[in-house]
Amino acid sequence: MYSYLDKLNDSQREAVMTTEGAVLVLAGAGSGKTTVLANRIAYILQTRHTQPWNILAITFTNKAANEMKSRIEKIIGNGVNDMWVGTFHSVCARILRRYIEAEGYGRDFVIYDSADSRTVMKECMKEMEVDDKEYPINYVLRVISDAKNEEWLPEDMEREAPRDRQTATIAALYKRYRNKLIHNNALDFDDLIMLTVRILKNDPGIAEKYQAQFQYILVDEYQDTNNLQYKLIKLLAAGYGNVCVVGDDDQSIYKFRGANVNNILDFEKDYKDVKRVPLEQNYRSTQIILDAANSVIANNVKRLGKSLWTCRDGGEKISVLVGSTESDEARFIINAIKKRYENADRYGDYAILYRTNAQSRPFEDVLMSERIPYKVLAGLRFYDRKEIMDIIAYLRLIYNYNDDLSLQRIINEPKRKIGASTMDKLSELARANGAGFFEIANSADTYPEFGAAAIRLKAFTALIKNLRALAAELDIVELVKRTIEDSGYMDMLRNDTSIEAQTRIENLSEFVNAVAEFAKAPETTGGLGEFLENITLRSDADDYDENDDYVTLMTVHSAKGLEFPVVFVTGLEEGVFPGMRSEIDPEAMEEERRLCYVAITRAKDKLYLSRAESRFRYGTRSYSPESRFLAEIPKELLMTDGPMLSRIQQQVGKIGISFEAWQNENKYKKKKKDAAAEELVQFIAGDRVRHRKFGDGTVVSAQSFGNDAILVIDFDTAGTKRLMAVFAKLEKIVEE
């Protein structure tokens, strides 16, 4: 009856069959954790006399949730749609659709993505006359996100946080931002979880309902949970205590999003009698790739400890490519792809990974010049294109009249002669009357201030009301088609003869196809609200299709959860990967090392590691030594494959000496250069210095580099900078 268990290894089988109590499945990269989760759910349903709706399985992406449902369905057949399988955000949204009114919102709330949040905050700062140079929007939103992660409302932030001018300003911005969201009946991503936790804490009846319902709770990627997500699981698991978390402390890489690696490190302290099951057999990579990953991550201190192994002995050695510049690095990599492609069938086998999005340009330049198809995964998403966002704004306003943000986006798109002056009056009247933009516009003829514009405002609200009425009669595909046509948007594009307009028409056609696919999906009801929720909660990884045939470019963060036959990990230089800020923060350095571990373990068959000797950054060309992560890999696993070595050998050949003799001579020259460089290192850690542009700062470290020296300086106002001593022209500050 349980023949599917025969396909599992001993550790996987133990993780599947240990159904009661708290279980920590320590799943290494490529160890089959999705297989374990799917089989565990199937086993519970078949052996524990429970119902599908008594199981809660939480993932971090829609793609992972859908894959899990598909695998479970293959094992047990029907009943999958009755289970609660989804992301933290989608599960919380489902709960909030029933109980959010207790927090002052309506059940037809919309969800704002990060771009929407920025727009709202920009309005708040403008209204409060806060300088966005002194208070950058991203920084303010990050502080507010951190506050929500602690369950703080604005008044809590005012009370609990340090009392200073900056905190007071951000707390005031948080208050206005929250009020705008409530007014718009909108939630941001943090609200979805925070409000769910608040409701469960404040209403024991609701908490007990879900505690009784969820007899078995499974959480994927537990190492990436933040404080709120930890609290949510703790609350829901208080009923039966059957909670199984699957994760890998060595792959915790999202601290910048609030992830707390201590959630998985301390799991055995948080729950009683925890059963730990390590999954160390890797089904993805060769042993050489795993040995490299194990060697790098072993240098971290805060980890539970495991060592990956595979039956795929050996494999190709890891190639190291070194370019003089980032352009050389890109050319070497693309040439390696071209060479391998001659004996392969797909460009989709190759992935180029980098630490930050800004590093993609040299690779894109070479790929375009070589006419090699590629896609930047974390670039402009399909749903981020203007025409798609415009139609989504129409749909959100149809669904929720209180969504002022969406109204402002499309009230004059296409042009309706509703200009800035009219919008200013609309905003003033809405504020004065404590009403929404739509409500004021709908009764515009009662406000003399609008003059002739009142007719146009009324026509717009009539359009939206008519489409809302159609939403009750038509399926979502027909509603979207009618919205595109009735709004005049399609006519606007048809009347534009440019190539760009034709592309936008094609994109809208593809959008209709996407809506149709959503409507056909068995796990959806096909409702407008569900569709809007689904597209807002999509992640970069959800847009990746392994069947597409193009070279994939992405950050290592975006690559999490993916795998490729051939992977290029680029920019392995100190200050790039690991990043500069991690040099003064041991915990940040450990996360950078985990990020490198993730990058290495994306590769199945072949791994390339590359760096540039110099890189153009912040307007100047800078030189950096190789990354410590590269140095942590045993040399016997590496091979210098590449253009850099052959170019040196060619130069050596021209002057008629042996390569070994050239190496010895170079070592002698290097010693002399290092001795000269020592004279340039006039500063030591702790020295106070002054820079003509960055102001005063403290030297963190000083390191010889060729004929120069690298200084890492923590400036009082400009942050941490890496500077070359020759060009820095620093003045030492002598304390009186």
Side-chain angles (χ1 to χ4, degrees):
M1 180 178 179
Y2 313 123
S3 58
Y4 52 87
L5 297 178
D6 297 336
K7 301 176 183 178
L8 308 178
N9 64 40
D10 291 343
S11 296
Q12 291 174 329
R13 197 175 300 113
E14 183 181 9
V16 166
M17 299 178 70
T18 308
T19 60
E20 307 305 300
V23 181
L24 169 60
V25 180
L26 200 58
S31 61
K33 66 181 179 62
T34 305
T35 297
V36 167
L37 283 167
N39 282 270
R40 180 182 171 87
I41 291 172
Y43 186 76
I44 288 171
L45 287 171
Q46 291 180 329
T47 64
R48 294 298 176 234
H49 307 293
T50 190
Q51 300 299 321
W53 51 85
N54 296 134
I55 293 177
L56 171 64
I58 297 180
T59 67
F60 268 81
T61 67
N62 293 316
K63 185 174 183 177
N66 292 332
E67 182 179 354
M68 193 183 301
K69 288 178 185 177
S70 176
R71 292 197 188 192
I72 298 167
E73 190 169 26
K74 288 178 181 177
I75 299 172
I76 67 170
N78 297 328
V80 175
N81 293 333
D82 293 327
M83 291 188 304
W84 284 53
V85 181
T87 65
F88 273 101
H89 293 111
S90 64
V91 166
C92 287
R94 188 170 175 180
I95 293 173
L96 292 175
R97 292 291 177 197
R98 296 191 63 181
Y99 299 109
I100 197 171
E101 290 170 342
E103 291 293 323
Y105 294 82
R107 294 185 183 183
D108 59 346
F109 61 83
V110 294
I111 302 170
Y112 280 177
D113 62 18
S114 55
D116 297 324
S117 295
R118 281 179 55 82
T119 300
V120 175
M121 180 53 68
K122 192 173 182 179
E123 289 180 359
C124 294
M125 296 177 78
K126 182 179 179 181
E127 292 168 5
M128 293 177 59
E129 298 182 349
V130 174
D131 185 357
D132 61 3
K133 293 181 180 178
E134 183 179 2
Y135 294 90
I137 291 178
N138 285 344
Y139 173 74
V140 172
L141 288 172
R142 187 166 67 250
V143 172
I144 292 173
S145 179
D146 290 343
K148 291 183 178 183
N149 202 18
E150 298 298 329
E151 289 184 77
W152 286 358
L153 296 178
E155 52 270 27
D156 300 316
M157 187 176 180
E158 291 173 341
R159 182 176 62 253
E160 301 292 343
R163 302 195 176 197
D164 55 47
R165 175 173 168 269
Q166 183 184 74
T167 303
T169 301
I170 295 178
L173 286 168
Y174 178 15
K175 185 174 184 178
R176 182 164 296 223
Y177 172 78
R178 184 169 188 269
N179 287 339
K180 279 184 176 289
L181 291 186
I182 293 174
H183 177 78
N184 291 357
N185 200 26
L187 278 65
D188 64 19
F189 292 148
D190 292 316
D191 289 332
L192 287 168
I193 303 175
M194 182 184 75
L195 295 179
T196 303
V197 169
R198 282 176 57 84
I199 288 170
L200 293 174
K201 280 188 171 182
N202 295 336
D203 193 323
I206 297 174
E208 289 169 6
K209 172 187 180 299
Y210 287 109
Q211 288 164 358
Q213 177 178 336
F214 299 135
Q215 297 175 18
Y216 294 92
I217 298 175
L218 302 90
V219 186
D220 192 11
E221 305 286 10
Y222 191 67
Q223 78 280 350
D224 292 331
T225 54
N226 61 27
N227 293 346
L228 274 176
Q229 291 161 342
Y230 163 83
K231 291 175 184 177
L232 177 69
I233 297 303
K234 193 80 171 172
L235 280 166
L236 295 175
Y240 284 84
N242 297 325
V243 55
C244 172
V245 301
V246 181
D248 182 0
D249 55 309
D250 290 335
Q251 295 188 72
S252 179
I253 60 173
Y254 294 115
K255 185 177 180 181
F256 70 97
R257 294 181 186 171
N260 186 351
V261 68
N262 292 317
N263 290 347
I264 191 168
L265 294 176
D266 296 337
F267 182 78
E268 290 163 305
K269 299 176 184 177
D270 292 333
Y271 294 86
K272 293 181 180 179
D273 303 320
V274 174
K275 175 71 174 179
R276 186 201 289 195
V277 183
L279 302 181
E280 296 177 304
Q281 183 176 358
N282 176 284
Y283 292 91
R284 173 189 301 158
S285 307
T286 65
Q287 191 61 53
I288 282 182
I289 292 171
L290 296 182
D291 287 345
N294 288 334
S295 297
V296 171
I297 202 63
N299 290 277
N300 270 3
V301 176
K302 291 184 65 175
R303 60 189 298 256
L304 295 172
K306 66 182 179 311
S307 185
L308 297 179
W309 62 275
T310 180
C311 292
R312 298 184 64 194
D313 291 335
E316 287 190 61
K317 280 192 173 184
I318 298 165
S319 295
V320 179
L321 302 175
V322 184
S324 297
T325 66
E326 64 271 28
S327 297
D328 285 342
E329 180 190 30
R331 279 194 294 271
F332 294 169
I333 287 173
I334 306 313
N335 285 338
I337 290 175
K338 289 172 63 179
K339 185 176 180 180
R340 294 188 72 96
Y341 185 72
E342 292 174 0
N343 301 312
D345 298 322
R346 302 183 67 251
Y347 283 116
D349 288 347
Y350 307 104
I352 300 174
L353 309 184
Y354 33 76
R355 180 63 182 82
T356 63
N357 278 311
Q359 292 170 247
S360 74
R361 186 193 56 76
F363 303 110
E364 292 191 68
D365 288 346
V366 180
L367 286 164
M368 283 190 289
S369 67
E370 295 290 341
R371 290 181 167 80
I372 294 175
Y374 74 93
K375 181 177 181 181
V376 181
L377 192 62
L380 184 65
R381 296 189 312 157
F382 175 76
Y383 292 99
D384 291 336
R385 289 174 168 84
K386 180 184 183 304
E387 60 275 10
I388 307 301
M389 293 180 70
D390 285 345
I391 299 305
I392 289 173
Y394 271 103
L395 296 173
R396 292 203 317 196
L397 189 59
I398 292 166
Y399 182 71
N400 171 23
Y401 287 163
N402 293 320
D403 190 353
D404 289 351
L405 194 64
S406 292
L407 181 144
Q408 290 176 82
R409 181 181 182 93
I410 46 90
I411 194 169
N412 205 39
E413 192 70 46
K415 301 298 182 186
R416 297 185 174 90
K417 296 184 179 179
I418 300 175
S421 175
T422 299
M423 291 306 297
D424 287 342
K425 292 173 185 174
L426 186 63
S427 178
E428 291 170 8
L429 287 167
R431 192 161 49 247
N433 289 275
F437 284 18
F438 189 90
E439 182 180 345
I440 299 298
N442 193 46
S443 55
D445 53 345
T446 65
Y447 296 98
E449 295 93 328
F450 288 125
I455 297 175
R456 295 188 286 274
L457 290 170
K458 292 274 289 182
F460 173 76
T461 58
L463 165 69
I464 300 301
K465 288 193 294 183
N466 183 57
L467 288 169
R468 184 165 186 169
L470 289 173
E473 304 171 6
L474 304 175
D475 63 42
I476 188 169
V477 178
E478 291 304 315
L479 174 65
V480 170
K481 289 179 179 178
R482 285 291 298 270
T483 300
I484 294 171
E485 290 291 346
D486 293 4
S487 63
Y489 205 95
M490 187 57 79
D491 284 340
M492 173 187 72
L493 295 178
R494 290 191 187 108
N495 293 332
D496 186 341
T497 58
S498 68
I499 295 176
E500 182 183 10
Q502 182 58 41
T503 300
R504 289 182 173 183
I505 291 174
E506 292 170 359
N507 286 339
L508 286 177
S509 176
E510 182 58 30
F511 179 62
V512 173
N513 293 339
V515 176
E517 287 182 14
F518 164 81
K520 292 176 183 176
E523 67 271 13
T524 65
T525 62
L528 176 57
E530 189 178 3
F531 172 72
L532 293 172
E533 184 178 302
N534 179 271
I535 59 175
T536 305
L537 299 181
R538 289 178 66 89
S539 69
D540 288 334
D542 292 329
D543 292 331
Y544 170 69
D545 185 345
E546 61 185 14
N547 296 315
D548 288 338
D549 193 22
Y550 46 69
V551 177
T552 302
L553 280 66
M554 71 183 98
T555 64
V556 182
H557 283 104
S558 295
K560 177 78 168 14
L562 303 178
E563 60 183 43
F564 301 87
V566 183
V567 169
F568 298 83
V569 181
T570 67
L572 283 166
E573 305 133 37
E574 291 291 302
V576 178
F577 196 2
M580 188 184 303
R581 293 180 181 177
S582 62
E583 294 188 13
I584 58 175
D585 183 349
E587 287 194 5
M589 182 59 72
E590 293 220 341
E591 178 150 334
E592 289 285 307
R593 188 172 280 107
R594 294 194 292 267
L595 194 61
C596 184
Y597 175 84
V598 167
I600 291 172
T601 54
R602 298 312 94 195
K604 297 168 68 176
D605 305 318
K606 175 66 177 179
L607 175 65
Y608 289 82
L609 304 176
S610 73
R611 68 181 182 91
E613 291 184 314
S614 70
R615 190 175 295 273
F616 202 71
R617 303 176 69 202
Y618 309 115
T620 60
R621 182 157 295 283
S622 60
Y623 296 80
S624 297
E626 73 173 28
S627 168
R628 68 192 69 194
F629 304 149
L630 191 56
E632 289 168 357
I633 299 174
K635 300 307 177 192
E636 60 268 22
L637 302 178
L638 305 175
M639 60 183 290
T640 304
D641 182 26
M644 189 62 186
L645 183 57
S646 59
R647 179 168 62 83
I648 292 172
Q649 288 175 321
Q650 288 170 6
Q651 291 173 345
V652 169
K654 288 177 182 177
I655 60 177
I657 63 173
S658 71
F659 184 58
E660 290 75 14
W662 178 86
Q663 284 183 311
N664 291 332
E665 175 68 15
N666 230 28
K667 288 178 182 177
Y668 172 73
K669 290 179 179 179
K670 183 177 185 300
K671 286 182 179 179
K672 292 184 67 177
K673 288 179 180 178
D674 288 347
E678 287 180 8
E679 298 181 9
L680 287 169
V681 184
Q682 305 170 34
F683 309 100
I684 61 174
D687 281 351
R688 293 286 292 171
V689 295
R690 179 166 295 141
H691 187 274
R692 63 183 183 277
K693 178 179 179 181
F694 302 129
D696 295 350
T698 303
V699 176
V700 176
S701 66
Q703 178 184 1
S704 297
F705 183 72
N707 289 325
D708 204 344
I710 300 171
L711 303 177
V712 176
I713 304 171
D714 184 13
F715 288 101
D716 298 344
T717 57
T720 304
K721 305 289 183 184
R722 177 192 292 268
L723 304 174
M724 303 305 292
V726 168
F727 301 108
K729 297 181 180 179
L730 295 167
E731 172 190 348
K732 184 180 289 188
I733 301 174
V734 180
E735 301 292 342
E736 296 292 338

